[in-house]
Amino acid sequence: MSALLARLVANRLFWPIVMLLVLFTINLVAFPGFFAVTLRDGHLFGSLIDILRNGAPTLIIAVGMTLVIATRGIDLSVGAVAAISGAVACSIILGSPEPANPATVAVAVTVALLISLVLGMWNGFLVAVLGIQPIIATLILMTAGRGVAMLITEGQILTVNSPPFKALGSGFWFGVPIAVIIAAVVFGVAALVTRRTALGMFIESVGINPEASRQAGVRARGLLFVVYTFSAFCAAIAGLILTANTAAADANNTGLFIELDAILAVVIGGTSLAGGRYSLVGTLVGALVIQTLVTTVYTVGIPPIATMVFKAAVVTIVCLLQSPTTNEALSGFRRRLALRAGKGVAAS
Amino acid sequence: MKKLMGIAAAGAMLVALAGCAGGGGAASEGPKALDELVVGFAQVGAESGWRTANTKDIQAAFEEAGIELKFSDAQQKQENQIKAIRSYIQQGVDYIAFSPVVETGWDAVLNEAKAAGIPVVLTDRAVDSKDTSLYVSFLGSDFIEEGKKAGLWVLDQYKDSTEKVNIVQLEGTTGAAPAIDRAEGFADVIRQNPNLEVIESQTGDFTRAGGKQVMEAMLKSNPDIDLVYAHNDDMGLGAIEAIEAAGLKPGEDIKIVTVDAVKDGMQALADGKINFIVECSPLLGNQLVDIIKTLNEGGTVEPRIITEETTFDQEQAIEALPDRQY
């Protein structure tokens, strides 16, 4: 029994999941109907659905980020890429004579995604070919990208009136939010392609020791290209969802700071920023923790002034619980306690 | 640092020289030709339709007046705005105008502007500083008054109500003057009727996405919300989406009161999805140009200039909508 418990605690997903359950409990206490999911107007309705739907963009970006981080890299440009893709799609839809036509939306989405591939390849080029440190290489696009998005929208918030586009962010398919379905597909494809083939292992090997993997015949250059392009692609999908959610492209605010949320999701999920082993399931849990945290703030009614402190406290606790040093200290403490208890028993 | 001091010293010498020539300090240099004037403007960002209209109006007004305008966008970050103001000081612009992102933390940089002899005009938002000599004028709306106007409508709307009225408030960016004052003015007025109660108040950061997400969560935890008071139209528009997704009718099942009156908001008001909008006019450009001209000619301006504003209900919105510029 205790061996099972010890194995559970040792699992790197143990503490994030505990934190998720704790957050759920806090919500349940503050609002007893928290877990209630009902069918309203033919679609699912409830707090949990909100968490999944609002968390979808973060999760999608975090999936791409996981693979980048596994190669010992980082992609700071995802928020800017999200803003660009939203801006591109909205300006195409606005410029067309039939904004409500699904074909128009399909063109807009395709162009936005294609542009993101180019942006991702740019990042890949800087990192893989020019050998610039990832944090600097992607910082370029992070800063410049918002400017590009501003240029596309001409500094305006572009409001589009296009039901098919809006459905991407707030629509439902068989009662399930379309955003959640998209996130599930991205997650599923990433998991299948990297875990059912050797790709995942190559990525990890590049992250653990680039030189050794090169000598073993892994082509790091191509791999980095793929990983950064995929990350930008994910960012563009998330950007489209975020933009469609409010039916407005806001170059300044779409995906603002989402790179930090995505990195946090990856880290909470137990993937090390030093590269190497990664866990997509961990990233999923991490993204859910982050979104639940946001929803908790609103549900419990934490005053806006204290919001940041509350979030920081939760994240700090998760990171502390996960850290090997803290765990060692804790288990040492437990051992001493057990020892003392044992002595107590012996004495009596 | 040395360099900065050098520039400051050089600036001081220049001022002293000008003083000798003019015989009475920097202020009596005499008016400059308008096309020689340079004004630095540090905008908050482009966080809402209102802000964009504000930016466009200011840029247009300066272009028309033939005054050079240096424009910077702080993307809602105070440190960016401080950097922009510092760079204006270094470039030696004639006047600086800016809309502070938040109320506090401006004394140091404004003192630098003062030391460099550059008059500062605040537009749209105030700073919380005891030293009023740091700026010559504050041009903008009276946010407390706006909150009061919104509150008065709510008071009137529910004057016969004997039941409790559940109000939720979507606040602006935490710490920003409009968020603080609009909440204060509103609370002051609705206090008169004990049935009116703000049951929850949360920040939506003045954005649609923020308003939507906050409203979604509030709708779940508080099933009977009667009225939403949003500190700007964009958050109100986000709230509309959330209310519709919950299968309710915005404007009927849940009433919505907002502040700003940008075009998208007015459209929603005309469509019956918003019930009342308090105007907060972004068209400050001409008034700002007038202030700069007056200062340039050596005149004095009022320390507080309030923009002219009104309110709209649904019928008035239908009338006003066709010639709405922003």
Side-chain angles (χ1 to χ4, degrees), chain B residues 112-131:
Chain B
E112 286 168 33
K114 191 178 168 186
I118 303 173
V120 174
V121 180
L122 305 177
T123 63
D124 165 47
R125 295 183 182 183
V127 297
D128 186 13
S129 170
K130 290 199 176 64
D131 186 359

Side-chain angles (χ1 to χ4, degrees), chain A residues 31 40 50 53 159 245, chain B residues 56 200 212 216 220 246 264:
Chain A
F31 162 46
R40 194 174 286 192
D50 280 356
R53 198 174 57 80
T159 309
N245 187 29
Chain B
K56 279 196 154 179
E200 242 189 286
K212 183 172 181 180
E216 276 173 356
K220 306 288 171 346
D264 288 343

Side-chain angles (χ1 to χ4, degrees), chain A residues 319-333 335:
Chain A
C319 291
L320 278 181
L321 287 173
Q322 274 181 317
S323 124
T325 320
T326 340
N327 271 332
E328 227 159 78
L330 268 180
S331 67
F333 178 68
R335 237 177 288 132

